[in-house]
Amino acid sequence: MVVERRIPWPFGLSCREVQILHWVTRGCSNPQIAKKLFISPRTVSTHVEHLLVKLGSQSRVQLAALAVEAGLLLASEM
């Protein structure tokens, strides 16, 4: 029997934060991420600020390194 159950993202991240983290790790700027996700650059900025706090990072580079190390990258482009 196969059972499916939902598990939360590590570090208490939301689905949207994981999406933002994916694009930050790919080197995209806030305006580029906003365009891809159909949200405002300010909203992206807020998500990035939350990611920095949740992951205990001080820069986008640290966020990217942690995402790669923790295996948080999404398999495909969104």
Side-chain angles (χ1 to χ4, degrees):
M1 174 190 272
V2 175
V3 177
E4 182 179 315
R5 73 180 164 102
R6 224 173 230 198
I7 59 170
W9 284 99
F11 306 102
L13 300 179
S14 69
C15 183
R16 181 60 95 186
E17 288 169 335
V18 172
Q19 290 173 325
I20 301 287
L21 183 58
H22 172 83
W23 292 112
V24 166
T25 302
R26 293 184 65 122
C28 295
S29 67
N30 289 359
Q32 290 170 324
I33 296 169
K35 189 172 183 177
K36 291 175 185 301
L37 299 179
F38 305 102
I39 57 178
S40 76
R42 179 64 189 133
T43 299
V44 174
S45 178
T46 299
H47 283 300
V48 170
E49 290 171 20
H50 292 163
L51 285 165
L52 290 167
V53 171
K54 285 183 175 183
L55 277 62
S57 299
Q58 295 184 4
S59 70
R60 292 169 81 99
V61 172
Q62 283 184 331
L63 283 178
L66 197 146
V68 170
E69 183 178 299
L72 295 175
L73 300 181
L74 301 175
S76 64
E77 293 188 18
M78 309 199 62

